[in-house]
Amino acid sequence: MPEADDGEIRALVTSMTTNEKVALVSGQGLWRTAAIERLGIDSILMTDGTYGVRYSTTQIDAGTGDEESLAAFLDLINQQADDKGGMFGTTRPATCFPNGNLVGCSWDVDLLYRMGEALALECRSLGVHLLLGPGINTRRTPLAGRAYEYYSEDPVINGDLAAALISGLQDNGIGASLKHFACNNSEIDRTTTSSDVDERALREIYLAGFERAIRKSPPWTVMSAYNPVNGVQAAESHWLLKHILRDEWGYDGLVLSDWHAIKDRPASLKAGTDLDMPESKPRKARLLLAIEDGKVADDALDRACERVIGLVRRCYAEKLPAAPVDLDRHHALAQQIAAESIVLLRNEQQTLPLDAAATGELLVVGDGALVPTIQGSGSATTNPYRVDSPLERIAARAGEHLKVRHVPFPTAQGIPMESETQAVLDAAMTADAVIIFTENEKEGNGESSDRDTLKLAAGHDSLIRSLTEAGRKVIVVLTTPDAVEMPWLGATQAVLACFYPGQGGGEAIARVLFGEQNPCGKLTTTMPIRIEDIPGWHTYPGENSRHVYSEGIFVGYRFYDLKAVTPLFPFGHGLSYTRFSYENMALDRQEIGPSMGCGVSVTIRNTGEVAGKEIVQLYVRPVKPGLRRPIRELKAFTKVELQPSEAKVVTLTLSARDFQYFDTARGAWVLDAEAFIIEAAASSRDIRLESRLACRSERFPPAALSALSPPALVFANERAIPALTELLARKLRISGEEAIAILEKLNGSFLGFHDTLSWYVGDAINEADITTLFDTLNQRTKKMSA
């Protein structure tokens, strides 16, 4: 299909029948747009997901009838990742990269770009035009079923990593779909429970990652979410899709729905959801009837058709030739990404790295060492081309004098654990170190289901505790969707957080354990000590179809800092086999003002004995801000590689927005603080250097005045006192000094201005006099600020 300009696309839409228009904006089957053959409008193919191309032959080739499509869709979202049955049996093999929960811990935009490149190559080989990702919903709670798909609790990381992946895809001819817009933070009654979020939290947290990604690398499509936001379905929200996305951010791409997310198709079209996916004959019929009844304007339908055609034309115009995919090379990339993302949470007495040439015995425990959990469950689950066994990769590294043994330990519920625990304890008596592969209970998490606990699978906590009480050296390898409780932490020697590491996770874990990879991943969410410490826990998961985001802007580490709650592990935490010093912090300006940014440079030195990579985090801490703000917020980051004794200067840029907050009273981003402390840090609780930056705040017009305004508000207007002095002097026939003395008596009153004044002057000055004066002041203020 040749590329067309806007005029040609409009002409195509003009020549279409209403039925053809409705078909075009309604999808075809589960994974395609509709083709209009008589006008030369081709169909495009889309599929999941962000960390692996999920091409199911039965789903993509399913019948176009509602019954077949719905059955295929429900089979998809209810599929467990470790179920090797129906879905994998009909899904073409692809590379299963680390999931968002782990790859986010890389803090590495270059790796995300390379991952996007690889995904694009695999899409092209399968004839896919649009990949449905990345997903960047804020990891507000570790209980969220789809938390494993997302990068972070912070919008800076979400936006920057998403932009890199989008660029990797779209630079290589495959469209991206940034999702789920917005506040898709729970799977409990996800299509009916409203995410009730105040506007400031929406602007500063939940929308900020989307805005950042769109500004850095505009995706060809944005996918609206299942849930309502403040009582309005996301796919039908004029405020989200038009006011914010299009009018404020200037996004000009296509908006498509999540699958079967639309409840009112005419309302969604008018709100800005261009494409309804997948095809639904009832929704098409309702849209057609609304058009015939005049309830949907022609221009709204035509605009959606133009965007669909524009996307189709772009997919074909930027399509690159398909070529054989080197899956072995992609597997190596998956291994590298996992190895650079794994987080070393704890490492007492330099237990790690292990010495492959040592004499002794390693005991590897757990079913996950043989058949690892590499990914989460739901629509994005990938049929892996191959899977590295952690046990095999560990054994392959052991020298001739290091014996590796394995003892199984199940994760399934309902299995008596006493005998299994004793078998492990017996085997551990001769081991020099025990490596335990553990995970959370698999039931009750994934798409369509949130977790209800932060505990490990049944018996695992008890097993770890029993081993430590027996004096064993214990190394814990965690494979989890998000945070878990670790009541045994203080007695263990080392802990690795692997989250969902993808098909190369086994090799990556072995590299880290034996020091071939110096761990450099850092947490992108805060790990709580207990479930009750989660921000917003007291209002989770909502009641009566309303889920109030009660923590407001204090999401993740912002909450822990505000409440002075000690986390299990803080945001940004991650250990290394070497050490880094932070030196010579410098700012390129000494004062910040409206519309100003600031450059920050820091020298990072590797003071250890092995090469390593450090993630430098830049936080901004406001001093006496106009409105209450988090104690500190991440605003920039970079990753630097250093040889032993090597030092490098890293430079980070803070934009004007990085110093602002959103003031809902003014409906704008504002700069208002006495100063800012710029912090260079190794984590949100490990601040290494800081510098003070003075602030010249914006001048804001005074509030509108009325006779009912309290005196303090009136006197805050610098024009009010001279005008009132003149009024009192004239009306009361007194001197200016006497008038000022009367006005000074009004200070401290919480009554309205006229009511307070009348106590001192009686009815000599009536309310109309004050109203007229204040109206004049308000008009002058309005003119000056226009």
Side-chain angles (χ1 to χ4, degrees):
M1 174 181 281
E3 190 172 5
D5 59 26
D6 291 345
E8 187 178 345
I9 289 175
R10 283 193 291 272
L12 276 173
V13 173
T14 300
S15 65
M16 293 170 66
T17 67
T18 300
N19 283 337
E20 287 172 333
K21 292 177 182 179
V22 169
L24 188 64
V25 299
S26 302
Q28 179 179 307
L30 269 174
W31 302 108
R32 299 180 188 276
T33 60
I36 311 295
E37 293 183 5
R38 76 176 186 88
L39 296 175
I41 300 172
D42 292 333
S43 173
I44 60 169
L45 173 63
M46 59 193 80
T47 193
D48 296 310
T50 308
Y51 57 83
V53 183
R54 198 194 60 77
Y55 189 105
S56 170
T57 55
T58 53
Q59 290 166 5
I60 288 175
D61 300 330
T64 57
D66 280 357
E67 183 176 347
E68 295 99 328
S69 292
L70 182 61
F73 171 70
L74 294 177
D75 285 344
L76 162 65
I77 62 170
N78 293 325
Q79 184 75 43
Q80 288 295 115
D82 59 344
D83 183 347
K84 306 301 187 211
M87 186 174 70
F88 285 177
T90 60
T91 304
R92 294 188 185 179
T95 307
C96 179
F97 289 98
N99 292 188
N101 58 0
L102 181 63
V103 73
C105 297
S106 73
W107 300 59
D108 194 321
V109 293
D110 293 332
L111 280 179
L112 267 291
Y113 184 89
R114 292 173 60 195
M115 183 171 158
E117 283 183 312
L119 289 168
L121 289 171
E122 295 189 27
C123 282
R124 281 157 47 190
S125 73
L126 295 168
V128 172
H129 302 94
L130 179 70
L131 195 64
L132 301 174
I136 62 165
N137 292 98
T138 302
R139 281 165 65 184
R140 171 180 177 255
T141 169
L143 298 172
R146 299 186 80 169
Y148 76 88
E149 293 186 40
Y150 308 138
Y151 300 133
S152 175
E153 67 188 28
D154 191 274
V156 171
I157 298 173
N158 287 335
D160 286 4
L161 296 189
L165 188 90
I166 290 166
S167 294
L169 283 166
Q170 295 183 170
D171 288 352
N172 290 276
I174 299 299
S177 190
L178 189 64
K179 63 183 187 182
H180 306 88
F181 192 66
C183 300
N184 185 176
N185 303 112
S186 173
E187 293 298 288
I188 296 175
D189 297 327
R190 60 178 174 168
T191 66
T192 55
T193 295
S194 175
S195 297
D196 288 359
V197 194
D198 69 78
E199 185 179 1
R200 187 176 171 199
L202 277 170
R203 298 277 194 164
E204 294 187 17
I205 304 293
Y206 298 100
L207 303 184
F210 286 93
E211 180 182 10
R212 193 176 182 98
I214 288 169
R215 293 198 188 284
K216 286 175 176 281
S217 183
W220 295 356
T221 71
V222 169
M223 183 189 294
S224 57
Y226 276 121
N227 52 282
V229 177
N230 292 329
V232 180
Q233 292 291 146
E236 301 161 17
S237 173
H238 184 281
W239 186 82
L240 271 178
L241 303 181
K242 284 195 173 177
H243 178 65
I244 298 295
L245 183 63
R246 298 216 184 272
D247 296 343
E248 288 197 12
W249 299 351
Y251 179 70
D252 61 0
L254 177 136
V255 174
L256 74 159
S257 71
D258 206 340
W259 266 230
H260 294 295
I262 291 176
K263 297 182 181 298
D264 184 336
R265 180 53 178 142
S268 72
L269 186 72
K270 289 188 284 187
T273 300
D274 303 304
L275 179 60
D276 176 8
M277 289 299 295
E279 181 182 14
S280 165
K281 289 182 173 57
R283 290 198 297 270
K284 289 167 70 174
R286 292 182 200 120
L287 177 57
L288 185 59
L289 181 61
I291 294 167
E292 291 171 348
D293 290 345
K295 296 178 179 178
V296 174
D298 290 341
D299 62 344
L301 178 61
D302 288 354
R303 195 159 45 244
C305 289
E306 289 170 11
R307 291 195 182 112
V308 174
I309 295 173
L311 174 65
V312 172
R313 297 278 174 147
R314 186 170 198 173
C315 286
Y316 281 95
E318 301 197 23
K319 182 179 179 182
L320 298 173
V325 175
D326 187 343
L327 289 177
D328 287 335
R329 182 180 178 187
H330 288 183
H331 183 66
L333 177 60
Q335 293 170 330
Q336 180 188 356
I337 294 173
E340 294 210 22
S341 303
I342 288 171
V343 183
L344 180 60
L345 296 176
R346 179 178 173 85
N347 191 25
E348 296 301 296
Q349 300 172 338
Q350 297 181 320
T351 296
L352 295 179
L354 300 172
D355 183 359
T359 299
E361 181 181 288
L362 285 179
L363 181 67
V364 180
V365 178
D367 292 0
L370 288 175
V371 183
T373 297
I374 64 171
Q375 60 185 323
S377 300
S379 58
T381 309
T382 306
N383 182 4
Y385 157 64
R386 58 190 280 195
V387 177
D388 290 341
S389 161
L391 179 62
E392 289 180 3
R393 306 317 302 156
I394 290 170
R397 283 166 167 79
E400 61 178 321
H401 301 295
L402 183 61
K403 180 181 179 182
V404 176
R405 285 198 298 149
H406 176 258
V407 177
F409 197 83
T411 58
Q413 291 180 311
I415 298 175
M417 294 296 180
E418 291 80 4
S419 60
E420 283 80 3
T421 300
Q422 190 58 52
V424 173
L425 288 172
D426 292 342
M429 290 303 102
T430 59
D432 295 279
V434 182
I435 304 173
I436 302 178
F437 282 77
T438 186
E439 54 193 277
N440 65 294
E441 297 174 356
K442 292 182 181 178
E443 293 79 6
N445 75 90
E447 187 169 0
S448 300
S449 179
D450 284 1
R451 288 194 288 169
D452 59 8
T453 179
L454 295 183
K455 297 186 183 302
L456 294 178
H460 284 230
D461 285 326
S462 177
L463 173 65
I464 297 170
R465 188 178 294 108
S466 296
L467 284 165
T468 59
E469 289 174 352
R472 299 296 88 198
K473 181 183 289 187
V474 176
I475 300 162
V476 179
V477 178
L478 291 166
T479 304
T480 61
D482 207 303
V484 291
E485 293 175 354
M486 304 181 203
W488 34 259
L489 179 66
T492 59
Q493 277 65 51
V495 180
L496 290 180
C498 302
F499 297 105
Y500 286 156
Q503 68 182 51
E507 168 68 13
I509 291 166
R511 289 180 188 175
V512 172
L513 287 173
F514 286 95
E516 296 170 20
Q517 169 70 50
N518 190 345
C520 56
K522 294 199 176 188
L523 293 177
T524 56
T525 56
T526 307
M527 288 192 168
I529 292 175
R530 56 183 194 146
I531 196 170
E532 292 85 0
D533 291 341
I534 297 171
W537 166 248
H538 61 294
T539 55
Y540 170 86
E543 297 174 326
N544 297 324
S545 298
R546 294 277 178 174
H547 185 178
V548 178
Y549 286 37
S550 54
E551 71 277 22
I553 60 172
F554 297 98
V555 176
Y557 65 90
R558 296 165 174 81
F559 175 86
Y560 292 86
D561 287 348
L562 175 73
K563 302 290 285 185
V565 173
T566 300
L568 187 65
F569 292 106
F571 175 87
H573 170 77
L575 303 178
S576 171
Y577 296 151
T578 190
R579 299 177 304 279
F580 299 97
S581 68
Y582 288 55
E583 307 164 4
N584 304 323
M585 185 177 187
L587 310 183
D588 69 358
R589 63 172 69 249
Q590 298 306 308
E591 182 185 66
I592 197 78
S595 303
M596 290 182 182
C598 178
V600 182
S601 64
V602 181
T603 299
I604 309 298
R605 187 182 306 277
N606 184 344
T607 60
E609 298 175 354
V610 295
K613 296 182 180 180
E614 173 68 340
I615 295 165
V616 183
Q617 303 159 46
L618 205 62
Y619 293 87
V620 171
R621 178 157 56 90
V623 178
K624 296 182 181 179
L627 294 182
R628 195 175 195 185
R629 297 182 67 173
I631 291 173
R632 62 177 50 84
E633 293 186 276
L634 180 75
K635 295 300 180 182
F637 63 88
T638 191
K639 194 172 186 178
V640 57
E641 182 173 11
L642 296 166
Q643 298 300 313
S645 302
E646 183 182 12
K648 289 181 181 178
V649 177
V650 299
T651 301
L652 297 145
T653 302
L654 296 171
S655 69
R657 170 70 71 85
D658 291 330
F659 298 97
Q660 298 173 324
Y661 62 82
F662 190 83
D663 187 341
T664 55
R666 295 184 173 93
W669 293 91
V670 300
L671 177 68
D672 189 9
E674 179 183 286
F676 294 95
I677 307 300
I678 311 303
E679 301 175 329
S683 83
S684 65
R685 294 287 176 101
D686 185 4
I687 311 302
R688 301 294 183 87
L689 295 172
E690 63 177 46
S691 291
R692 185 181 177 93
L693 181 64
C695 177
R696 179 165 40 84
S697 297
E698 295 179 59
R699 292 178 60 85
F700 304 109
L705 303 178
S706 76
L708 299 178
S709 299
L713 186 64
V714 173
F715 296 151
N717 188 319
E718 61 184 18
R719 294 183 178 82
I721 290 180
L724 286 165
T725 300
E726 190 278 330
L727 177 67
L728 266 62
R730 177 165 47 84
K731 287 282 188 178
L732 301 179
R733 301 180 182 276
I734 59 176
S735 68
E737 291 77 9
E738 291 172 314
I740 289 174
I742 292 173
L743 291 174
E744 287 176 346
K745 295 178 181 180
L746 275 59
N747 282 322
S749 172
F750 63 86
L751 302 179
F753 186 86
H754 179 262
D755 288 355
T756 304
L757 180 64
S758 67
W759 282 92
Y760 300 100
V761 302
D763 57 2
I765 297 180
N766 60 44
E767 187 170 346
D769 293 331
I770 297 298
T771 298
T772 299
L773 175 63
F774 286 174
D775 285 347
T776 301
L777 290 176
N778 291 338
Q779 290 172 7
R780 289 176 181 171
T781 298
K782 188 175 181 180
K783 287 180 180 178
M784 292 190 67
S785 58

